[in-house]
């Protein structure tokens, strides 16, 4: 399904679209305030960008260093070429230890790999412990935002969901009350789990450790109790040194939600007494993308979500309209880079306003990449007809001035006189949600011709 | 191990263009009054702070809170501040900490720019205590205050090169969520409150 078709479903509910748009823009404004409170913000962004780009220039060395240090600290390291291998490694670890309840903290990577359905099919109960993720999991949906997974859902809907599944009072929709109910439910799960799985925000080559950031403390509870900790990590999460975290932790939460730092930034370097710790390093297309010089900076992403929050298209079309694990501007680069056929419409869900590039804490030139991706899709003949046909027509018209003049006249007249149904019909996507401008009576050429002698004589007088 | 070799080979073949590592020696943000800024940040992230002359005053502050004195289970790992109804190293599993009302724990240092406080499980045999207690109290000498995160990582440089590096986390406020319609709720899965007792030193 194309982005535009899917977005049409979302915007059918005008009130919700407005709420979604405004609420997310409010998060963007909090980000602006937080960024402005740091005088060296631009220096931080530049530094972060250079660290990430440097890491990609010798990622193989850093991966080996990371692995050696992790092993030295008693962590087992696994390598997975793709999502399937990742899922099999995780299932193997759980099966060997007879684990039947796994608690997970936020991990977009396991979403990407489709871990939950895979484990569930093998009879393992999987509980996402981030509140937003738990809500979408209970609704059998996917997160619609990488930082705010349940931003598309209203509190009344959460109230109904919790009433049905957790036994909260009918009609209750107070966020405090609902969060309390979720707290009790999730703490029960956290305490009885046989294993905890976390994502990874940063892996540190120099120490072999990982850092996980949450506000709820769910990653910490999920790993401080059960005897097994599995961390799923994309190759691109690596940074060279411990002190580089100073840069990234200053940028991440401020860019994401406007907080100065998340409530917990936890550094895991060794299993607890009596615990096992495993890290699964996942490629799944990342190493291939490194070689695409035009797009590889998208691998520098720290998943803050700022580009989603600022994007006028994302805010008004909702995360699900992207039909991908990662939505928004960054998703519109990485998804088609990996699977151009499936995601051909995403780079066009963009007005090229450039706001994403402005806010990105690691300075990924997002809108340039989106434009480059359109060229790429064009070269591969993956443009939809709605784009290729008008482009060809426009090309033919613009090459012939007489035709251009005739068509202009025709347009001016017909826009004024044609009945509405002919202009605002399903074939004309430009006629949706907007009125076309009132057509002027004369063309620019005609107006200029009339004006020009007058203007010329005025100029002569003033000389 | 075929996967490991395949991935490393592919990464090697696809190395991105060269780029040098930037210097971490830059002019980073500092504050004229770091303690004042730190306390403001704590308020902003949903925590409270008290400035107290010594541990005896910290103990008295706790004893003055009826919600503390009336609670059934408390734990303190800070000498002279608060009391313990259980012994951490006597527990068989960290799960037994579930239901703990208050934990009074030592902090290593604080960071003025964001209100973050560094704690580790170096002397705390069950790190779950930081996250499972209902109310967390961290005791921090004011001399242990840094300006920014760069200083924080300078301070713990070399950590991680040990054979068994401790677990460490920056705690910044009580646990929280805004996952339901962006309404901030304090007390998600972890502690419902964070009090920082700053001991003048
Ligand atoms: S691309 Fe940049 S702004 Fe977007 S999520 Fe990634 S780091 Fe954040």
């Amino acid at each position: 399904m194309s982005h535009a078709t899917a977005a049409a479903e979302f915007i059918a509910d005008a009130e919700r679209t407005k709420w979604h748009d405004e609420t997310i823009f409010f998060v963007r404004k909090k980000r602006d305030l937080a960024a402005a409170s740091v005088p060296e913000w631009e220096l931080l962004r530049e530094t972060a960008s250079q660290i990430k780009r440097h890491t990609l220039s010798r990622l193989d060395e850093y991966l080996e260093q990371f692995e050696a240090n992790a092993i030295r600290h008693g962590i087992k390291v696994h390598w997975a070429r793709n999502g399937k291998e990742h899922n099999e490694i995780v299932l193997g670890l759980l099966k060997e230890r007879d684990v039947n309840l796994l608690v997970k903290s936020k991990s977009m990577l396991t979403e990407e790999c489709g871990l939950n359905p895979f484990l569930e099919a093998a009879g393992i109960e999987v509980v996402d412990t981030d509140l937003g993720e738990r809500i979408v999991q209970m609704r059998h949906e996917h997160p619609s935002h990488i930082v705010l997974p349940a931003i598309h859902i209203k509190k009344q809907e959460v109230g109904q969901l919790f009433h049905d599944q957790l036994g909260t009072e009918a009609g209750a929709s107070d966020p405090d009350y609902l969060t309390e109910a979720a707290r009790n439910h999730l703490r029960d799960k956290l305490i009885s789990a046989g294993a905890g799985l976390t994502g990874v925000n940063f892996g540190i080559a120099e120490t072999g450790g990982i850092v996980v950031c949450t506000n709820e403390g769910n990653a910490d509870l999920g790993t401080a109790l059960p005897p097994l900790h599995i961390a799923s990590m994309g190759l691109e999460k690596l940074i060279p040194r411990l002190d580089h975290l100073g840069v990234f932790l200053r940028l991440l939460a401020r860019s994401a939600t406007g907080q100065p730092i998340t409530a917990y930034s936890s550094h895991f370097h060794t299993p607890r007494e009596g615990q096992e710790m495993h890290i699964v390093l996942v490629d799944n297309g990342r190493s291939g993308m490194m070689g695409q010089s035009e797009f590889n900076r998208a691998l520098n992403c720290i998943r803050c979500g700022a580009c989603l929050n600022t994007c006028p298209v994302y805010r008004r079309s909702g995360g699900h309209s992207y039909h991908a694990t990662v939505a928004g501007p960054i998703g519109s680069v990485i998804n088609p880079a990996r699977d151009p056929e499936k995601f051909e419409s995403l780079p066009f869900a963009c007005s090229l306003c450039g706001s994403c590039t402005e806010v990105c804490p690691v300075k990924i030139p997002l809108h340039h990449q989106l434009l480059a991706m359109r060229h790429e899709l064009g070269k591969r003949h993956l443009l939809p007809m709605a784009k290729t046909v008008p482009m060809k027509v426009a090309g033919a018209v613009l090459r012939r001035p007489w035709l251009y003049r005739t068509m202009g006249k025709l347009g001016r007249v017909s826009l004024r006189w044609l009945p509405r149904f002919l202009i605002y019909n399903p074939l004309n996507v430009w006629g949706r949600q907007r009125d076309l401008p009132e057509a002027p009576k004369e063309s620019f050429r005609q107006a200029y011709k009339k004006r020009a002698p007058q203007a010329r004589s005025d100029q002569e007088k003033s000389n | 191990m075929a996967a490991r070799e395949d991935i490393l080979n592919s990464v090697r073949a696809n190395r991105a263009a060269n780029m040098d590592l930037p210097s971490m020696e830059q002019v980073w943000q500092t504050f004229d009054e770091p303690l004042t800024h730190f306390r403001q940040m704590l308020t902003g992230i949903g925590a409270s702070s008290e400035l107290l002359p010594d541990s005896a005053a910290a103990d008295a502050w706790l004893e003055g809170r009826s919600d503390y004195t009336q609670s059934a289970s408390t734990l303190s790992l800070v000498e002279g501040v608060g009391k313990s109804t259980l012994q951490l190293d006597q527990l068989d599993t960290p799960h037994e900490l579930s239901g703990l009302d208050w934990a009074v724990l030592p902090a290593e240092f604080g960071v003025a720019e964001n209100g973050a406080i560094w704690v580790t499980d170096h002397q705390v045999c069950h790190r779950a205590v930081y996250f499972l207690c209902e109310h967390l109290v961290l005791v921090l000498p004011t001399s242990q205050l840094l300006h920014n995160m760069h200083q924080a990582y300078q301070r713990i440089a070399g950590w991680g090169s040990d054979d068994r590096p401790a677990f460490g986390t920056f705690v910044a406020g009580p646990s929280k969520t805004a996952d339901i319609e962006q309404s901030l709720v304090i007390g998600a899965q972890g502690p419902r409150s964070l009090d920082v007792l700053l001991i003048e030193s």
Side-chain angles (χ1 to χ4, degrees):
Chain A
M1 197 193 297
S2 80
H3 176 270
T5 317
E9 275 170 37
F10 182 80
I11 56 178
D13 184 342
E15 214 169 295
R16 182 185 299 243
T17 311
K18 185 162 179 281
W19 182 86
H20 189 265
D21 179 16
E22 289 171 354
T23 307
I24 294 180
F25 198 68
F26 182 65
V27 181
R28 150 78 211 266
K29 284 199 271 192
K30 286 197 289 188
R31 171 255 168 229
D32 291 349
L33 286 176
S37 74
V38 178
E40 66 271 28
W41 185 255
E42 289 308 314
L43 172 65
L44 278 176
R45 288 178 74 214
E46 183 55 37
T47 309
S49 168
Q50 288 178 13
I51 295 170
K52 280 284 187 178
R53 291 162 75 185
H54 165 83
T55 313
L56 283 195
S57 76
R58 50 185 73 183
L59 189 64
D60 47 315
E61 288 170 15
Y62 286 126
L63 281 167
E64 287 179 303
Q65 193 190 355
F66 175 77
E67 180 191 37
N69 285 320
I71 292 173
R72 191 164 61 84
H73 292 152
I75 300 170
K76 300 222 168 55
V77 180
H78 308 257
W79 300 72
R81 278 171 288 217
N82 49 45
K84 183 166 167 280
E85 288 187 356
H86 163 266
N87 295 350
E88 278 161 3
I89 291 167
V90 174
L91 178 63
L93 292 170
L94 299 177
K95 277 263 145 95
E96 280 161 30
R97 289 155 193 81
D98 286 323
V99 174
N100 42 37
L101 171 59
L102 172 73
V103 285
K104 274 175 60 200
S105 71
K106 195 131 109 253
S107 156
M108 294 312 288
L109 176 59
T110 58
E111 279 286 328
E112 173 188 322
C113 296
L115 179 68
N116 287 17
F118 180 84
L119 293 181
E120 281 157 5
I124 291 169
E125 182 186 356
V126 184
V127 174
D128 280 312
T129 56
D130 172 87
L131 175 58
E133 284 212 323
R134 184 62 181 148
I135 293 170
V136 295
Q137 187 188 27
M138 286 166 84
R139 285 166 57 106
H140 307 290
E141 283 181 352
H142 295 285
S144 69
H145 186 295
I146 53 181
V147 175
L148 321 167
I151 192 68
H152 60 291
I153 303 168
K154 301 290 290 175
K155 62 184 177 191
Q156 291 79 7
E157 293 167 311
V158 179
Q160 184 63 45
L161 182 74
F162 282 12
H163 173 65
D164 294 342
Q165 300 197 20
L166 303 180
T168 53
E169 276 172 47
S173 65
D174 173 49
D176 276 295
Y177 171 76
L178 296 175
T179 302
E180 180 69 20
R183 173 188 170 96
N184 295 331
H185 161 71
L186 288 170
R187 277 174 79 111
D188 278 351
K189 296 290 183 188
L190 287 160
I191 285 166
S192 34
L197 186 147
T198 66
V200 171
N201 289 97
F202 305 98
I204 310 143
E206 175 189 54
T207 65
I210 57 165
V211 173
V212 182
C213 305
T214 73
N215 276 323
E216 299 177 12
N218 55 321
D220 296 291
L221 283 167
T223 52
L225 297 169
L228 173 64
H229 174 188
I230 305 170
S232 296
M233 170 175 164
L235 301 182
E236 83 285 13
K237 296 290 177 192
L238 219 52
I239 55 172
R241 297 201 315 248
L242 186 67
D243 65 349
H244 292 150
L245 285 166
V247 173
F248 291 104
L249 292 189
R250 294 188 76 191
L251 288 166
L252 179 60
R254 289 187 175 101
S255 299
T257 56
Q259 292 171 261
I261 187 166
T262 48
Y264 303 99
S265 309
S266 298
H267 301 53
F268 299 88
H269 275 84
T270 182
R272 301 183 334 258
E273 212 40 55
Q275 187 196 37
E276 278 180 72
M277 184 172 166
H278 296 255
I279 296 176
V280 189
L281 285 165
V282 184
D283 184 342
N284 206 30
R286 288 163 174 76
S287 62
M289 198 168 161
M290 274 174 62
Q292 303 178 28
S293 57
E294 251 176 319
F295 304 113
N296 62 10
R297 284 179 66 183
L299 289 167
N300 299 346
C301 173
I302 57 172
R303 298 288 189 272
C304 72
C307 60
L308 283 70
N309 299 340
T310 202
C311 176
V313 177
Y314 173 85
R315 278 187 275 116
R316 294 182 185 84
S317 62
H320 288 157
S321 63
Y322 292 76
H323 282 286
T325 310
V326 178
I330 182 64
S332 298
V333 178
I334 56 179
N335 295 305
R338 286 202 205 140
D339 190 344
E341 259 119 81
K342 185 165 170 208
F343 297 108
E344 45 81 16
S345 73
L346 295 188
F348 297 93
C350 164
S351 65
L352 293 177
C353 73
S355 182
C356 45
T357 307
E358 287 294 301
V359 298
C360 177
V362 290
K363 295 185 93 166
I364 301 170
L366 287 158
H367 73 292
H368 295 287
Q369 299 203 340
L370 286 165
L371 185 60
M373 187 59 79
R374 295 182 186 183
H375 287 302
E376 186 65 29
L377 294 171
K379 272 192 268 169
R380 292 177 183 227
H381 306 290
L382 285 171
L383 297 187
M385 282 247 287
K387 299 226 154 48
T388 50
V389 173
M391 288 289 183
K392 281 201 190 112
V393 174
V397 172
L398 290 173
R399 269 197 305 274
R400 298 172 180 82
W402 63 269
L403 185 57
Y404 176 77
R405 281 195 292 273
T406 318
M407 296 294 280
K409 183 147 201 224
L410 208 64
R412 282 191 304 282
V413 173
S414 52
L415 262 186
R416 231 172 308 135
W417 300 112
L418 277 187
R420 277 189 74 83
F421 73 87
L422 266 183
I423 300 173
Y424 301 95
N425 66 35
L427 287 176
N428 178 15
V429 289
W430 289 99
R432 279 183 219 149
Q433 281 106 31
R434 55 167 91 72
D435 270 333
L436 293 179
E438 207 175 300
K441 292 207 177 58
E442 47 189 17
S443 73
F444 176 77
R445 282 172 68 92
Q446 289 161 340
Y448 184 75
K449 258 193 203 152
K450 263 198 227 155
R451 224 185 112 76
Q454 181 66 36
R456 256 199 306 274
S457 72
D458 283 356
Q459 191 140 33
E460 274 155 22
K461 262 181 242 154
S462 71
N463 280 345
Chain B
M1 279 285 99
R4 178 182 187 277
E5 288 319 308
D6 279 358
I7 293 171
L8 282 172
N9 284 337
S10 172
V11 169
R12 236 169 254 134
N14 288 307
R15 275 187 171 199
N18 246 331
M19 162 77 61
D20 287 338
L21 264 185
S23 164
M24 288 296 107
E25 305 293 317
Q26 305 280 358
V27 184
W28 306 117
Q29 187 172 26
T30 55
F31 304 91
D32 295 338
E33 303 269 354
L35 182 62
T36 312
H37 193 82
F38 181 62
R39 297 188 67 187
Q40 277 167 3
M41 294 316 283
L42 285 175
T43 311
I45 57 182
S48 309
S49 67
E50 288 297 325
L51 188 59
L52 299 158
D54 51 28
S55 340
D59 189 54
W61 182 84
L62 273 175
E63 288 302 324
R65 282 188 69 149
S66 58
D67 53 351
Y68 180 75
T69 51
Q70 282 164 17
S71 65
S73 63
T74 61
L75 173 81
S76 171
L77 296 181
V78 183
E79 192 105 5
V81 185
K83 55 186 191 301
S84 298
T85 60
L86 55 91
Q87 290 263 290
L88 205 54
D89 48 14
Q90 304 286 302
L91 303 178
D92 290 331
T93 70
H95 301 72
E96 292 169 45
L97 286 165
S98 168
L100 174 67
D101 289 322
W102 289 80
V104 180
L105 301 169
E108 291 197 10
F109 60 84
V111 185
E113 73 156 288
N114 53 17
I117 296 173
W118 179 250
V119 298
T120 72
D121 67 353
H122 181 53
Q123 306 277 359
V124 180
C125 62
H126 294 296
R127 69 186 194 221
V129 70
Y130 289 106
F131 314 103
L132 213 43
C133 64
E134 294 283 312
H135 302 281
L136 178 61
V137 179
L138 293 176
V139 182
L140 176 68
T142 52
S143 57
Q144 304 303 309
L145 201 56
L146 308 174
H147 287 273
N148 57 49
M149 292 300 282
H150 310 285
Q151 291 183 347
Y153 281 103
Q154 260 168 20
R155 163 111 177 214
I156 58 174
W159 168 82
S161 315
D162 304 357
D163 283 342
R164 303 283 297 173
F167 165 85
T169 186
F170 286 103
V171 174
S175 108
K176 52 179 163 281
T177 179
D179 275 342
I180 302 178
E181 280 201 8
Q182 279 298 293
S183 311
L184 180 66
V185 180
I186 302 282
Q189 282 80 279
R192 298 173 191 274
S193 70
L194 170 65
D195 284 289
V196 183
L197 305 186
L198 296 157
I199 312 292
E200 281 172 289
S201 56

